[in-house]
Amino acid sequence: MLLKACLNLCLSEKINNFRNSRISNGKEIKENMADKKQLKQRINDGEIIIGAAVSMDDGIDRLKSVLDQYPYDFFSLDSQHSPFSEHQLVDFCNLADKLDVDVHFRVKHTRHAYLVGNILDLGPTLIEIPQVESVE
């Protein structure tokens, strides 16, 4: 129960900060973006991060509407259950970058884990290897 209350408080604070930043003028928002911590650092600091599952086919207008609903920290893409191409992934990551949102990418299968470096070069910030159940 305490964890749920803490989670609700953290989410409420995040939503309020989001609403306040939208009220600010463009100059203040740009200054805040310059101070933005990297997603990896935020995870290591124990911050709660929340992503939105989207399609690689979504355009900038759709992604903006998703962000208007909630200040998501990242967009999540799934190639395990959806087709994708490297070109699509690069284009999507470029759109997300324009919106200052990180990209989480789930690779198709564990046998493709050797491609992690190549996939990171295409733009995602987070990579998920499916069906991995231990650190060994």
Side-chain angles (χ1 to χ4, degrees):
M1 191 63 144
L2 180 62
L3 178 62
K4 184 177 179 182
C6 180
L7 180 60
N8 287 337
L9 179 64
C10 291
L11 292 176
S12 296
E13 183 178 325
K14 185 170 185 166
I15 290 171
N16 287 334
N17 289 340
F18 171 69
R19 288 183 181 141
N20 291 337
S21 72
R22 292 183 59 166
I23 295 169
S24 302
N25 64 39
K27 184 177 180 183
E28 290 173 304
I29 291 171
K30 286 179 184 174
E31 287 171 3
N32 290 339
M33 291 172 116
D35 296 334
K36 183 180 173 185
K37 287 194 288 184
Q38 295 293 321
L39 191 62
K40 182 178 179 179
Q41 183 62 49
R42 293 177 56 211
I43 293 168
N44 288 335
D45 289 347
E47 286 187 41
I48 296 171
I49 61 166
I50 300 172
V54 295
S55 168
M56 264 189 257
D57 296 325
D58 288 342
I60 193 90
D61 292 333
R62 169 71 179 125
L63 298 178
K64 284 180 181 178
S65 73
V66 169
L67 292 175
D68 284 342
Q69 295 172 22
Y70 187 81
Y72 293 103
D73 299 300
F74 63 91
F75 292 130
S76 183
L77 300 174
D78 182 9
S79 75
Q80 185 180 21
H81 301 287
S82 304
F84 92 101
S85 71
E86 288 184 356
H87 182 72
Q88 273 183 305
L89 182 57
V90 169
D91 289 345
F92 184 89
C93 289
N94 287 335
L95 287 179
D97 189 49
K98 288 178 184 177
L99 298 172
D100 196 38
V101 179
D102 290 289
V103 175
H104 162 269
F105 183 74
R106 182 177 182 176
V107 300
K108 191 170 239 12
H109 193 274
T110 51
R111 69 176 171 257
H112 299 296
Y114 71 96
L115 292 171
V116 167
N118 174 259
I119 294 170
L120 284 170
D121 289 341
L122 301 176
T125 308
L126 304 159
I127 302 287
E128 179 181 347
I129 308 296
Q131 303 156 346
V132 174
E133 297 178 14
S134 71
V135 294
E136 298 169 0

